[in-house]
Amino acid sequence: MIKRAAGMLAISAVLCGAVAALTPAPAPQDNGSAPEEQLPAELVPTADTVAFETAEPAVGIAREIGLKDILIPASDYGQIFPYAAEIVGWKEDGSAVYRYALADEAGELITNPVYTKAQRLVCEDSFVWLLTDAEGLVSCAARDGSWMIGAVSGSITAEDGYIFVQQADSPDTEVYNSSGKLLHDVAGSMVSCSDGIIVSRKTTDTSDIWHIYDADTISELTSLTAYQIGAFSEGYASMQISENQWAIVDEKGVITPFSNAAWMDDVCDGYVLVEDTEGKFGVIDVSGKEAVAFDYINGSHCSDDYPLYQLWKSADECIVISANKGQRLKLPENLSGQPLVGLPNSYFSYTDAENGCTVIFDDLKSISLEDRAIFYQQKNSLIAIQGDSYQIFDLDDGKISSLISYQYVVPEQPAALSDTVFTIADTETGLQGIGNIHGKMVIKPEYDSISSVGDTYYMAVQDGWSGIVDSRGRWIVRTQLSGVK
């Protein structure tokens, strides 16, 4: 079995991606964004117009410089936290529409409630804050508030340790490092950033021009006209030259056509899954040489880190092969063609066709879960969600916890891989608390909503109060919300 890198993102039943609890709201969870059409708040007695005002904080103090309508970067914050500071309306489902303010870990208030969204944006193994104001302008701030990018009209994303800013009035993309330093622009819109290579696309009246950059220096290596170019791996990427022509391209723009391809997957470690013009699947290397024969009716890449491919002879017969070693993976006896989901540390999962439960296996053991599961990764563990319960699978020792009878609250944005906590909910009351990857309850489910904002601090709403609590449930910042139903 080929060993995989542990630093993967979250995995679902059909694809992989990272996640963690972020912007809170009363159940059902709210991401803080205002809907297209807001309903007025309902009070007793009902009023046609309601002035929403926030009471003076019971806990939390204003800084000497006073509250601002924008974050003023400072090195002495320690950490900054967004919290729901006002209710400005209600959605049709009865959940609140919030405005968010910022505070630091000392409980000092930094800004007025001016943000409609406050989201965590993963950057390398940590995160930054993505803040959206009422005018739709977006800012990106360090988790300690020491720097800020924006506010801009456009979008801000992060990938492979870089931050990309696409301003609405500019055709090009600004590239920043994870410390908020502007490095350079790239032409057009960023499409991918992987393995030290940035690919961007600039559309003209006649074609799409694809630009390839060295991510370290932001120096352009080459530009090409193409339908599409995939993410780079080990200096190579798949490329669709025209509607019926595919190829491999290197970072210098050298093209190796493959005449029989009808479709190509992204390159992984020098290999790529290909469907030929007769509808058969196989694998080639980046020189165009056949690595796995085109004898299969379907295929998928079942690893984020290595060239491992699941290929089907028939609907009920498949193999998993390592393209670079030519070795076949030993599969469980009851696997009759079910698609595999690649998990970190050389594990895979599939759904047992006989009983409908999820099975985790590697080359040494196989573990059946209680039910069909969806996976999310946090640090060295997988959270296996099964309806209103979950189990925790330790990727290091291969052991799984007993079933925990709380609902895992599916987060809305990715988490840093260092996160060890997540939001849980009591299935009877709907109240939320915090659990951790060791199967322990950090904070009992006593809150309308609660979610991690980094380390041992949580954004919480409880009985008309909102703010930040620590891992002991003590309020660091607490504001009374008016207009609460």
Side-chain angles (χ1 to χ4, degrees), residues 335-382:
L335 180 71
S336 57
Q338 295 96 323
L340 297 179
V341 176
L343 304 177
N345 288 22
S346 299
Y347 288 101
F348 294 88
S349 75
Y350 67 96
T351 301
D352 189 313
E354 183 175 340
N355 56 32
C357 72
T358 293
V359 178
I360 300 173
F361 74 96
D362 65 2
D363 54 347
L364 298 177
K365 59 183 171 296
S366 180
I367 300 172
S368 292
L369 305 186
E370 299 286 341
D371 203 344
R372 183 174 300 202
I374 296 174
F375 296 95
Y376 290 89
Q377 183 182 0
Q378 291 198 213
K379 206 166 184 179
N380 61 340
S381 296
L382 295 178

Short mmCIF file of all heavy atoms in Angstrom, two decimals, residues 335-382:
data_model
loop_
_atom_site.label_atom_id
_atom_site.label_comp_id
_atom_site.label_asym_id
_atom_site.label_seq_id
_atom_site.Cartn_x
_atom_site.Cartn_y
_atom_site.Cartn_z
N LEU A 335 -16.44 -6.15 -2.06
CA LEU A 335 -16.47 -4.96 -2.91
C LEU A 335 -16.82 -5.40 -4.32
O LEU A 335 -16.00 -6.00 -5.01
CB LEU A 335 -15.12 -4.25 -2.89
CG LEU A 335 -15.03 -3.00 -3.74
CD1 LEU A 335 -15.84 -1.87 -3.12
CD2 LEU A 335 -13.60 -2.55 -3.94
N SER A 336 -18.02 -5.14 -4.75
CA SER A 336 -18.46 -5.60 -6.08
C SER A 336 -18.69 -4.40 -6.99
O SER A 336 -19.81 -4.15 -7.45
CB SER A 336 -19.74 -6.44 -5.96
OG SER A 336 -20.76 -5.70 -5.31
N GLY A 337 -17.66 -3.63 -7.19
CA GLY A 337 -17.73 -2.52 -8.12
C GLY A 337 -18.14 -1.20 -7.52
O GLY A 337 -18.27 -0.21 -8.24
N GLN A 338 -18.35 -1.15 -6.18
CA GLN A 338 -18.73 0.13 -5.58
C GLN A 338 -17.58 1.14 -5.72
O GLN A 338 -16.42 0.77 -5.58
CB GLN A 338 -19.09 -0.03 -4.10
CG GLN A 338 -20.32 -0.87 -3.84
CD GLN A 338 -19.94 -2.31 -3.53
OE1 GLN A 338 -19.01 -2.85 -4.10
NE2 GLN A 338 -20.68 -2.91 -2.63
N PRO A 339 -17.90 2.40 -5.97
CA PRO A 339 -16.83 3.41 -6.06
C PRO A 339 -16.16 3.64 -4.72
O PRO A 339 -16.83 3.66 -3.67
CB PRO A 339 -17.57 4.66 -6.55
CG PRO A 339 -19.00 4.44 -6.18
CD PRO A 339 -19.23 2.96 -6.25
N LEU A 340 -14.87 3.81 -4.74
CA LEU A 340 -14.08 4.06 -3.53
C LEU A 340 -13.90 5.56 -3.31
O LEU A 340 -13.81 6.34 -4.25
CB LEU A 340 -12.71 3.41 -3.64
CG LEU A 340 -12.66 1.89 -3.76
CD1 LEU A 340 -11.21 1.43 -3.89
CD2 LEU A 340 -13.33 1.22 -2.58
N VAL A 341 -13.86 5.94 -2.04
CA VAL A 341 -13.51 7.30 -1.66
C VAL A 341 -12.14 7.25 -1.01
O VAL A 341 -11.93 6.51 -0.04
CB VAL A 341 -14.54 7.88 -0.67
CG1 VAL A 341 -14.09 9.27 -0.20
CG2 VAL A 341 -15.91 7.98 -1.33
N GLY A 342 -11.17 7.98 -1.55
CA GLY A 342 -9.84 8.02 -0.97
C GLY A 342 -9.84 8.82 0.32
O GLY A 342 -10.35 9.95 0.36
N LEU A 343 -9.28 8.25 1.38
CA LEU A 343 -9.17 8.92 2.67
C LEU A 343 -7.69 9.15 2.98
O LEU A 343 -6.82 8.55 2.35
CB LEU A 343 -9.82 8.06 3.77
CG LEU A 343 -11.28 7.67 3.56
CD1 LEU A 343 -11.74 6.76 4.69
CD2 LEU A 343 -12.16 8.89 3.46
N PRO A 344 -7.37 10.02 3.95
CA PRO A 344 -5.96 10.24 4.30
C PRO A 344 -5.30 8.97 4.83
O PRO A 344 -5.96 8.01 5.24
CB PRO A 344 -6.04 11.31 5.40
CG PRO A 344 -7.36 11.97 5.19
CD PRO A 344 -8.28 10.91 4.68
N ASN A 345 -3.97 8.98 4.83
CA ASN A 345 -3.16 7.91 5.40
C ASN A 345 -3.43 6.55 4.77
O ASN A 345 -3.46 5.52 5.45
CB ASN A 345 -3.36 7.82 6.92
CG ASN A 345 -2.72 8.96 7.66
OD1 ASN A 345 -2.48 10.02 7.07
ND2 ASN A 345 -2.46 8.79 8.94
N SER A 346 -3.66 6.52 3.45
CA SER A 346 -3.82 5.28 2.69
C SER A 346 -5.08 4.51 3.01
O SER A 346 -5.17 3.31 2.75
CB SER A 346 -2.59 4.37 2.90
OG SER A 346 -1.43 4.99 2.46
N TYR A 347 -6.08 5.15 3.60
CA TYR A 347 -7.37 4.49 3.83
C TYR A 347 -8.33 4.81 2.68
O TYR A 347 -8.20 5.82 1.99
CB TYR A 347 -7.99 4.97 5.14
CG TYR A 347 -7.29 4.46 6.37
CD1 TYR A 347 -6.40 5.28 7.08
CD2 TYR A 347 -7.50 3.17 6.84
CE1 TYR A 347 -5.75 4.82 8.21
CE2 TYR A 347 -6.85 2.71 7.98
CZ TYR A 347 -5.99 3.54 8.66
OH TYR A 347 -5.33 3.08 9.78
N PHE A 348 -9.29 3.90 2.51
CA PHE A 348 -10.37 4.07 1.55
C PHE A 348 -11.68 3.75 2.24
O PHE A 348 -11.71 3.10 3.29
CB PHE A 348 -10.20 3.15 0.35
CG PHE A 348 -9.00 3.46 -0.50
CD1 PHE A 348 -7.76 2.89 -0.22
CD2 PHE A 348 -9.10 4.32 -1.58
CE1 PHE A 348 -6.66 3.18 -1.00
CE2 PHE A 348 -7.99 4.60 -2.36
CZ PHE A 348 -6.77 4.04 -2.07
N SER A 349 -12.79 4.19 1.64
CA SER A 349 -14.10 3.80 2.14
C SER A 349 -15.00 3.47 0.96
O SER A 349 -14.78 3.92 -0.16
CB SER A 349 -14.72 4.89 2.99
OG SER A 349 -15.20 5.95 2.20
N TYR A 350 -16.02 2.65 1.24
CA TYR A 350 -17.05 2.34 0.25
C TYR A 350 -18.31 1.96 1.00
O TYR A 350 -18.30 1.74 2.23
CB TYR A 350 -16.61 1.20 -0.68
CG TYR A 350 -16.47 -0.15 0.00
CD1 TYR A 350 -17.52 -1.08 -0.02
CD2 TYR A 350 -15.29 -0.50 0.66
CE1 TYR A 350 -17.39 -2.32 0.59
CE2 TYR A 350 -15.16 -1.73 1.28
CZ TYR A 350 -16.21 -2.64 1.24
OH TYR A 350 -16.08 -3.85 1.87
N THR A 351 -19.42 1.87 0.29
CA THR A 351 -20.69 1.47 0.88
C THR A 351 -20.92 0.00 0.61
O THR A 351 -20.95 -0.43 -0.56
CB THR A 351 -21.86 2.30 0.31
OG1 THR A 351 -21.63 3.68 0.58
CG2 THR A 351 -23.17 1.88 0.93
N ASP A 352 -21.08 -0.80 1.66
CA ASP A 352 -21.35 -2.22 1.53
C ASP A 352 -22.72 -2.40 0.89
O ASP A 352 -23.74 -1.95 1.43
CB ASP A 352 -21.32 -2.89 2.91
CG ASP A 352 -21.37 -4.40 2.83
OD1 ASP A 352 -22.22 -4.92 2.09
OD2 ASP A 352 -20.58 -5.07 3.53
N ALA A 353 -22.76 -3.05 -0.27
CA ALA A 353 -24.01 -3.19 -1.01
C ALA A 353 -25.04 -4.03 -0.26
O ALA A 353 -26.25 -3.84 -0.43
CB ALA A 353 -23.74 -3.81 -2.38
N GLU A 354 -24.58 -4.95 0.60
CA GLU A 354 -25.51 -5.86 1.28
C GLU A 354 -26.27 -5.19 2.42
O GLU A 354 -27.49 -5.34 2.54
CB GLU A 354 -24.74 -7.08 1.81
CG GLU A 354 -25.64 -8.12 2.45
CD GLU A 354 -24.87 -9.36 2.86
OE1 GLU A 354 -23.76 -9.58 2.32
OE2 GLU A 354 -25.38 -10.12 3.71
N ASN A 355 -25.55 -4.43 3.28
CA ASN A 355 -26.22 -3.84 4.44
C ASN A 355 -26.30 -2.31 4.41
O ASN A 355 -26.87 -1.70 5.30
CB ASN A 355 -25.54 -4.29 5.74
CG ASN A 355 -24.06 -3.95 5.77
OD1 ASN A 355 -23.64 -2.95 5.18
ND2 ASN A 355 -23.26 -4.77 6.42
N GLY A 356 -25.70 -1.68 3.40
CA GLY A 356 -25.81 -0.23 3.24
C GLY A 356 -24.93 0.58 4.16
O GLY A 356 -25.02 1.81 4.17
N CYS A 357 -24.06 -0.05 4.94
CA CYS A 357 -23.18 0.69 5.84
C CYS A 357 -21.87 1.03 5.16
O CYS A 357 -21.48 0.40 4.17
CB CYS A 357 -22.93 -0.08 7.13
SG CYS A 357 -21.87 -1.52 6.94
N THR A 358 -21.17 2.03 5.69
CA THR A 358 -19.87 2.42 5.15
C THR A 358 -18.77 1.57 5.76
O THR A 358 -18.79 1.24 6.95
CB THR A 358 -19.61 3.90 5.45
OG1 THR A 358 -20.52 4.70 4.69
CG2 THR A 358 -18.19 4.30 5.06
N VAL A 359 -17.81 1.20 4.94
CA VAL A 359 -16.65 0.41 5.38
C VAL A 359 -15.38 1.21 5.14
O VAL A 359 -15.20 1.79 4.06
CB VAL A 359 -16.58 -0.93 4.62
CG1 VAL A 359 -15.36 -1.73 5.05
CG2 VAL A 359 -17.85 -1.75 4.82
N ILE A 360 -14.51 1.27 6.14
CA ILE A 360 -13.17 1.87 6.02
C ILE A 360 -12.16 0.73 5.96
O ILE A 360 -12.23 -0.21 6.76
CB ILE A 360 -12.85 2.79 7.21
CG1 ILE A 360 -13.86 3.94 7.30
CG2 ILE A 360 -11.43 3.35 7.09
CD1 ILE A 360 -13.69 4.78 8.55
N PHE A 361 -11.20 0.79 5.02
CA PHE A 361 -10.22 -0.29 4.94
C PHE A 361 -8.88 0.24 4.46
O PHE A 361 -8.78 1.29 3.82
CB PHE A 361 -10.71 -1.41 4.03
CG PHE A 361 -10.64 -1.10 2.56
CD1 PHE A 361 -9.56 -1.50 1.78
CD2 PHE A 361 -11.67 -0.41 1.94
CE1 PHE A 361 -9.50 -1.21 0.43
CE2 PHE A 361 -11.63 -0.11 0.58
CZ PHE A 361 -10.54 -0.53 -0.17
N ASP A 362 -7.83 -0.51 4.77
CA ASP A 362 -6.52 -0.36 4.15
C ASP A 362 -6.02 -1.78 3.86
O ASP A 362 -6.80 -2.72 3.86
CB ASP A 362 -5.56 0.46 5.00
CG ASP A 362 -5.20 -0.20 6.33
OD1 ASP A 362 -5.67 -1.33 6.60
OD2 ASP A 362 -4.46 0.41 7.11
N ASP A 363 -4.72 -1.94 3.63
CA ASP A 363 -4.22 -3.26 3.28
C ASP A 363 -4.10 -4.20 4.48
O ASP A 363 -3.77 -5.38 4.31
CB ASP A 363 -2.87 -3.14 2.58
CG ASP A 363 -1.86 -2.34 3.39
OD1 ASP A 363 -2.28 -1.68 4.36
OD2 ASP A 363 -0.67 -2.37 3.06
N LEU A 364 -4.39 -3.72 5.70
CA LEU A 364 -4.26 -4.54 6.88
C LEU A 364 -5.59 -4.89 7.54
O LEU A 364 -5.72 -5.95 8.15
CB LEU A 364 -3.35 -3.84 7.92
CG LEU A 364 -1.91 -3.57 7.48
CD1 LEU A 364 -1.18 -2.80 8.57
CD2 LEU A 364 -1.19 -4.88 7.17
N LYS A 365 -6.56 -4.00 7.45
CA LYS A 365 -7.81 -4.22 8.19
C LYS A 365 -8.98 -3.55 7.50
O LYS A 365 -8.81 -2.73 6.60
CB LYS A 365 -7.68 -3.70 9.62
CG LYS A 365 -7.35 -2.22 9.71
CD LYS A 365 -7.17 -1.81 11.16
CE LYS A 365 -6.63 -0.40 11.27
NZ LYS A 365 -5.29 -0.26 10.71
N SER A 366 -10.18 -3.95 7.97
CA SER A 366 -11.42 -3.39 7.45
C SER A 366 -12.35 -3.14 8.63
O SER A 366 -12.50 -3.99 9.51
CB SER A 366 -12.06 -4.38 6.47
OG SER A 366 -13.26 -3.87 5.95
N ILE A 367 -12.97 -1.95 8.66
CA ILE A 367 -13.83 -1.56 9.78
C ILE A 367 -15.19 -1.15 9.23
O ILE A 367 -15.29 -0.27 8.38
CB ILE A 367 -13.23 -0.38 10.57
CG1 ILE A 367 -11.87 -0.76 11.15
CG2 ILE A 367 -14.17 0.07 11.67
CD1 ILE A 367 -11.12 0.41 11.77
N SER A 368 -16.26 -1.81 9.71
CA SER A 368 -17.62 -1.47 9.31
C SER A 368 -18.21 -0.48 10.30
O SER A 368 -18.15 -0.70 11.51
CB SER A 368 -18.49 -2.73 9.24
OG SER A 368 -18.09 -3.57 8.19
N LEU A 369 -18.78 0.60 9.78
CA LEU A 369 -19.43 1.59 10.64
C LEU A 369 -20.87 1.17 10.89
O LEU A 369 -21.38 0.19 10.33
CB LEU A 369 -19.37 2.96 9.98
CG LEU A 369 -17.98 3.47 9.59
CD1 LEU A 369 -18.05 4.89 9.08
CD2 LEU A 369 -17.01 3.37 10.75
N GLU A 370 -21.55 1.93 11.74
CA GLU A 370 -22.91 1.59 12.11
C GLU A 370 -23.89 1.82 10.96
O GLU A 370 -24.90 1.13 10.83
CB GLU A 370 -23.36 2.43 13.32
CG GLU A 370 -22.53 2.21 14.58
CD GLU A 370 -22.83 0.88 15.24
OE1 GLU A 370 -23.89 0.31 14.96
OE2 GLU A 370 -21.99 0.43 16.03
N ASP A 371 -23.60 2.79 10.10
CA ASP A 371 -24.54 3.18 9.04
C ASP A 371 -23.74 3.79 7.90
O ASP A 371 -22.50 3.85 7.95
CB ASP A 371 -25.56 4.18 9.60
CG ASP A 371 -26.86 4.22 8.79
OD1 ASP A 371 -26.86 3.72 7.66
OD2 ASP A 371 -27.84 4.75 9.30
N ARG A 372 -24.43 4.29 6.90
CA ARG A 372 -23.75 4.99 5.81
C ARG A 372 -23.22 6.32 6.32
O ARG A 372 -23.93 7.03 7.04
CB ARG A 372 -24.72 5.23 4.66
CG ARG A 372 -24.07 5.89 3.45
CD ARG A 372 -25.03 5.97 2.28
NE ARG A 372 -25.47 4.65 1.87
CZ ARG A 372 -25.95 4.37 0.66
NH1 ARG A 372 -26.05 5.32 -0.24
NH2 ARG A 372 -26.34 3.15 0.35
N ALA A 373 -22.00 6.67 5.98
CA ALA A 373 -21.34 7.82 6.59
C ALA A 373 -20.81 8.79 5.54
O ALA A 373 -20.48 8.41 4.41
CB ALA A 373 -20.20 7.36 7.49
N ILE A 374 -20.74 10.05 5.95
CA ILE A 374 -20.03 11.11 5.22
C ILE A 374 -18.90 11.57 6.13
O ILE A 374 -19.08 11.71 7.34
CB ILE A 374 -20.97 12.27 4.89
CG1 ILE A 374 -22.08 11.81 3.94
CG2 ILE A 374 -20.21 13.43 4.24
CD1 ILE A 374 -23.13 12.87 3.67
N PHE A 375 -17.73 11.82 5.56
CA PHE A 375 -16.54 12.11 6.35
C PHE A 375 -16.13 13.58 6.27
O PHE A 375 -16.20 14.20 5.20
CB PHE A 375 -15.35 11.26 5.89
CG PHE A 375 -15.56 9.78 6.07
CD1 PHE A 375 -16.03 9.01 5.04
CD2 PHE A 375 -15.29 9.19 7.29
CE1 PHE A 375 -16.22 7.65 5.19
CE2 PHE A 375 -15.48 7.83 7.46
CZ PHE A 375 -15.94 7.05 6.41
N TYR A 376 -15.65 14.09 7.41
CA TYR A 376 -14.99 15.39 7.47
C TYR A 376 -13.71 15.21 8.27
O TYR A 376 -13.71 14.55 9.32
CB TYR A 376 -15.88 16.44 8.12
CG TYR A 376 -17.05 16.85 7.28
CD1 TYR A 376 -18.26 16.16 7.35
CD2 TYR A 376 -16.95 17.90 6.38
CE1 TYR A 376 -19.33 16.51 6.55
CE2 TYR A 376 -18.02 18.26 5.58
CZ TYR A 376 -19.21 17.57 5.66
OH TYR A 376 -20.26 17.91 4.86
N GLN A 377 -12.62 15.79 7.77
CA GLN A 377 -11.34 15.66 8.47
C GLN A 377 -11.07 16.87 9.34
O GLN A 377 -11.27 18.02 8.93
CB GLN A 377 -10.17 15.49 7.50
CG GLN A 377 -8.85 15.28 8.25
CD GLN A 377 -7.65 15.15 7.34
OE1 GLN A 377 -7.78 15.21 6.12
NE2 GLN A 377 -6.49 14.97 7.91
N GLN A 378 -10.61 16.61 10.55
CA GLN A 378 -10.07 17.64 11.42
C GLN A 378 -8.82 17.08 12.09
O GLN A 378 -8.87 16.07 12.78
CB GLN A 378 -11.11 18.09 12.45
CG GLN A 378 -12.24 18.85 11.79
CD GLN A 378 -13.06 19.68 12.74
OE1 GLN A 378 -14.24 19.85 12.55
NE2 GLN A 378 -12.43 20.24 13.77
N LYS A 379 -7.72 17.73 11.81
CA LYS A 379 -6.40 17.33 12.30
C LYS A 379 -6.13 15.88 11.91
O LYS A 379 -6.17 15.54 10.73
CB LYS A 379 -6.24 17.58 13.79
CG LYS A 379 -4.78 17.79 14.19
CD LYS A 379 -4.64 18.36 15.58
CE LYS A 379 -3.17 18.63 15.86
NZ LYS A 379 -2.99 19.22 17.21
N ASN A 380 -5.90 14.98 12.87
CA ASN A 380 -5.55 13.60 12.57
C ASN A 380 -6.74 12.66 12.72
O ASN A 380 -6.57 11.47 12.94
CB ASN A 380 -4.41 13.12 13.46
CG ASN A 380 -4.77 13.16 14.94
OD1 ASN A 380 -5.70 13.87 15.32
ND2 ASN A 380 -4.06 12.42 15.76
N SER A 381 -7.95 13.20 12.60
CA SER A 381 -9.15 12.39 12.78
C SER A 381 -10.15 12.65 11.66
O SER A 381 -10.17 13.72 11.05
CB SER A 381 -9.81 12.70 14.13
OG SER A 381 -8.96 12.35 15.20
N LEU A 382 -11.00 11.64 11.42
CA LEU A 382 -12.13 11.78 10.52
C LEU A 382 -13.41 11.72 11.35
O LEU A 382 -13.57 10.82 12.18
CB LEU A 382 -12.15 10.66 9.48
CG LEU A 382 -11.00 10.62 8.47
CD1 LEU A 382 -11.17 9.41 7.55
CD2 LEU A 382 -10.95 11.90 7.65
#
